[in-house]
Amino acid sequence: TEIDWKAYMEEVEGFANGTLDYTQLKGDTGPLVYPAGFVYIFLGLYYATGRGTDIRLAQYLFAGLYLLNLLLVFRIYCRTNKVPPYVFFFMCCASYRIHSIFVLRLFNDPVAMAILFLAINLFLEEHWSWGCFLFSLAVSVKMNILLFAPGLLFLLLQRFGLLGCIPKLCICALLQVVLGLPFLLVNPVGYLTRSFDLGRQFQFKWTVNWRFLPEEVFQNRAFHTTLLLAHLAGLGLFALHRWHRSKESILALLKDPAERKHTSPPLTVNNILWQGWQQGIVFVLFSSNFLGVCCSRSLHYQFYVWYFHTLPYLLWCTPTTKLAHMPKVLLLGVIELCWNTYPSTVCSSLSLHICHGLVLLQLWYGTAPPPAPHTPQPSRRPSAISKKAQ
């Protein structure tokens, strides 16, 4: 299980030895394909574990990261007050794959997600600048965090308007420049193409979600373009009809909040009032990420951590009757079973898509805006009285 850890250590060892050309940083599994934040964090682990040789100590450190990650996730869930307590047992104890990703394989995905959950906690506390700083730091560890970016952009526009969100976006951009500066000064093209390669091809043998397709279709660029269009369409629909709750046009988000005709009311799910603005933050960010996961060109086994800790909220954020709890728990179990099937099969990959589709359907229909209340026409008599009173 130390294959990826050794590759990470070999990649950062080149940087420790003075190599600043990003194209020259590589390990047994291939070239380094993560942004600069990954290099700095794993360089610290490289020195902390005796140049990567003390794997047991690395596992203890990742076990601590796992507990910290759970603490950050639970803090988010306590703010939403949507998920029943017994579901947390599933999140803590019932996922073999998540434990493997953290403690057995020592992937960089959990590091990025822990930083992301810390950023969300800061958003919930209205510390938007620090939250954007940590969000960008998470992106610098692994690019999957960009799946949350459409939701974050929507929230920034809703909270600050176009001009107000520009400083927050500058924080995100500036941190990327600062972290990548040593490599940008030596080989800027090499750094950008390696660390932010959006067109990278994935190997068919590792895919969890598209095993039922022929390999030639899986590698086809037209298929990738279709998934991208589906992703953009899903984001557009959710932004227009599920995230945006004001009666004004969505273009009103570009205005300063003080200049809008109608301030955005607390988000509602059917006729149940969401518990304030904080719950809206979680819904927008988690659903933005989930749409990206559903439309991913390929999901590898370590990618499960991208959305595992968000699934309970996505399933229970909509109104739930007592009889509906068991099907949702069953859905979590089937998703876990799909991710524990190695190698993936036609059945497991199809089942995963069906589960994702069911989650999307209940998100779409369960968060539909409530019907507009009927406003009775005022009678003539009160109108006359009001004129007389004037």
Side-chain angles (χ1 to χ4, degrees), residues 171-217:
I171 292 173
C172 297
L174 184 61
L175 180 63
Q176 295 300 322
V177 173
V178 171
L179 292 175
L181 192 59
F183 309 104
L184 289 169
L185 292 175
V186 174
N187 185 354
V189 175
Y191 174 72
L192 293 174
T193 54
R194 279 290 174 83
S195 58
F196 295 99
D197 183 8
L198 297 176
R200 185 159 59 100
Q201 288 279 29
F202 295 102
Q203 296 183 23
F204 182 67
K205 67 178 181 179
W206 296 116
T207 187
V208 176
N209 57 332
W210 297 113
R211 178 67 62 181
F212 61 90
L213 293 178
E215 185 171 359
E216 56 271 19
V217 174

Side-chain angles (χ1 to χ4, degrees), residues 67-83 88 91-92 114 116-127 275 278-279 282 286 309 313:
L67 296 176
L68 175 62
N69 187 78
L70 282 179
L71 176 64
L72 294 170
V73 172
F74 286 174
R75 194 171 185 275
I76 293 170
Y77 276 71
C78 285
R79 295 301 186 91
T80 64
N81 197 28
K82 283 288 184 181
V83 180
F88 293 112
M91 191 186 298
C92 294
L116 181 277
F117 287 128
L118 179 56
I120 294 177
N121 273 276
L122 288 172
F123 294 147
L124 295 176
E125 297 288 346
E126 289 289 311
H127 298 305
Q275 294 187 347
Q278 293 179 334
Q279 198 151 172
V282 178
F286 283 11
H309 294 100
Y313 178 82

Side-chain angles (χ1 to χ4, degrees), residues 151-264:
L152 177 58
L153 177 61
F154 179 91
L155 291 172
L156 290 174
L157 289 171
Q158 189 178 48
R159 181 68 176 79
F160 302 103
L162 179 60
L163 293 179
C165 81
I166 289 177
K168 314 300 180 187
L169 298 178
C170 288
I171 292 173
C172 297
L174 184 61
L175 180 63
Q176 295 300 322
V177 173
V178 171
L179 292 175
L181 192 59
F183 309 104
L184 289 169
L185 292 175
V186 174
N187 185 354
V189 175
Y191 174 72
L192 293 174
T193 54
R194 279 290 174 83
S195 58
F196 295 99
D197 183 8
L198 297 176
R200 185 159 59 100
Q201 288 279 29
F202 295 102
Q203 296 183 23
F204 182 67
K205 67 178 181 179
W206 296 116
T207 187
V208 176
N209 57 332
W210 297 113
R211 178 67 62 181
F212 61 90
L213 293 178
E215 185 171 359
E216 56 271 19
V217 174
F218 174 80
Q219 299 289 359
N220 193 291
R221 292 290 183 182
F223 174 62
H224 302 163
T225 302
T226 302
L227 290 175
L228 176 60
L229 293 175
H231 185 196
L232 294 175
L235 288 171
L237 288 171
F238 266 76
L240 288 169
H241 302 291
R242 294 299 178 267
W243 299 347
H244 185 61
R245 296 287 172 158
S246 172
K247 295 180 180 180
E248 287 186 279
S249 165
I250 195 170
L251 295 178
L253 294 177
L254 302 178
K255 301 178 182 178
D256 186 279
E259 297 177 358
R260 296 170 190 164
K261 294 180 181 178
H262 304 283
T263 57
S264 297

Side-chain angles (χ1 to χ4, degrees), residues 95-122:
S95 179
Y96 160 80
R97 181 61 63 188
I98 292 299
H99 296 160
S100 172
I101 291 169
F102 270 89
V103 182
L104 293 180
R105 302 305 297 268
L106 312 178
F107 284 113
N108 62 330
D109 305 74
V111 178
M113 291 305 300
I115 299 173
L116 181 277
F117 287 128
L118 179 56
I120 294 177
N121 273 276
L122 288 172

